[in-house]
Amino acid sequence: GQVVFNYAEEIFALGRELMNAVKQRPGQRTLRLNVGVTDSFPKLVTNEILKPVFAMPQAVQVVCREGKMEDLLAQLAAHRLDLVLSDEPAPSSANVKVFSHTLGESSVTLCAEAKLAAKLKRNFPKSLNGAPALLPAENTVLRRALETWFRAHSVRPNVVAEFEDLALMTVMAAEGRGCIAVPTVALKEAVTRYQFRSLGQATTCRIQFHAVTAERRIAHPAVQVVARLASANLL
């Protein structure tokens, strides 16, 4: 039933798009971009990557779907998605033929709500030892990178919660429940949106960002913009 519902939803969406295209003059047709985002991909980085799409001369309607890599790759192979954003390349064991394009990488900055940050900023990173921390789930790339960095600096935070949903993790951190790791490329946005304060940068803790497509040579105009401009924003 869910499969039928998903196809019906897509059919009705295409029908609406067709009617809008008929009513518009040539050249006014809205470009549709279907983006899959793995649940471990930082949402603040998703926002940074997609910003140039909304600045395109042609109007673009972006549809974002979140899920597990395996499910998103299946939708990509069925051409229900135009690209998948992930913090790791598509696995070689995938049952579908897809291509990974590296968009860039970023270091990580530890940050927290203002009152907690004031306590932890001094003597960073030693101050993280025993400090309340909100971390991504253990099976994520970011979590593995953080654990390696913690061991290298001989610190062991008090993990008060683990999340597959990084957006929920961010909301809870904004309430002062613990410090979190934010990709440095999205730090400005995190500070502005959630009033976080930086504790310090984990320069050797780096995560990569990838766009996965069903084609080796990208043809979709909006995906081309993402691939071309993301590297300038993800350092």
Side-chain angles (χ1 to χ4, degrees):
Q2 186 62 47
V3 172
V4 173
F5 175 79
N6 289 339
Y7 275 103
E9 189 179 46
E10 186 73 15
I11 290 170
F12 286 124
L14 290 172
R16 289 192 296 270
E17 186 176 338
L18 173 61
M19 294 304 297
N20 289 336
V22 169
K23 293 177 183 179
Q24 292 174 341
R25 297 194 302 271
Q28 285 188 321
R29 184 173 181 271
T30 299
L31 182 66
R32 188 182 178 92
L33 175 65
N34 296 291
V35 182
V37 184
T38 59
D39 46 18
S40 62
F41 197 87
K43 303 307 175 287
L44 289 173
V45 176
T46 302
N47 184 50
E48 292 298 318
I49 289 175
L50 294 180
K51 275 182 180 179
V53 171
F54 296 101
M56 292 176 61
Q58 182 178 4
V60 181
Q61 179 186 7
V62 178
V63 179
C64 292
R65 296 188 176 97
E66 185 177 356
K68 301 294 184 184
M69 173 72 96
E70 183 179 350
D71 296 333
L72 295 176
L73 291 183
Q75 294 183 56
L76 184 66
H79 300 287
R80 299 186 63 202
L81 293 175
D82 298 304
L83 83 156
V84 171
L85 296 177
S86 174
D87 54 2
E88 57 186 334
S92 57
S93 59
N95 296 324
V96 293
K97 188 176 182 180
V98 293
F99 302 91
S100 297
H101 312 269
T102 302
L103 298 177
E105 65 176 35
S106 173
S107 62
V108 168
T109 296
L110 279 298
C111 57
E113 172 270 337
K115 186 180 293 187
L116 180 59
K119 297 178 181 178
L120 300 180
K121 191 174 179 65
R122 293 181 180 178
N123 200 30
F124 176 87
K126 295 298 182 183
S127 59
L128 297 178
N129 201 33
L134 309 178
L135 298 182
E138 288 187 346
N139 60 340
T140 60
V141 173
L142 179 55
R143 177 62 178 274
R144 293 194 293 269
L146 283 170
E147 292 287 2
T148 300
W149 187 81
F150 289 150
R151 286 193 297 270
H153 290 80
S154 302
V155 296
R156 182 176 294 180
N158 174 27
V159 183
V160 297
E162 301 179 16
F163 300 84
E164 288 190 349
D165 185 344
L166 298 188
L168 177 59
M169 182 180 73
T170 304
V171 170
M172 288 197 175
E175 294 184 351
R177 300 185 188 276
C179 62
I180 62 169
V182 173
T184 305
V185 295
L187 179 62
K188 183 178 178 180
E189 183 72 14
V191 169
T192 302
R193 191 180 296 257
Y194 298 101
Q195 288 74 56
F196 288 140
R197 297 293 182 269
S198 171
L199 308 180
Q201 188 176 154
T203 53
T204 58
C205 179
R206 304 191 70 82
I207 51 176
Q208 290 189 335
F209 310 112
H210 303 268
V212 185
T213 65
E215 55 202 4
R216 186 185 300 275
R217 296 186 62 185
I218 299 173
H220 194 292
V223 181
Q224 289 178 346
V225 168
V226 167
R228 187 175 71 251
L229 297 182
S231 59
N233 298 326
L234 304 179
L235 300 175

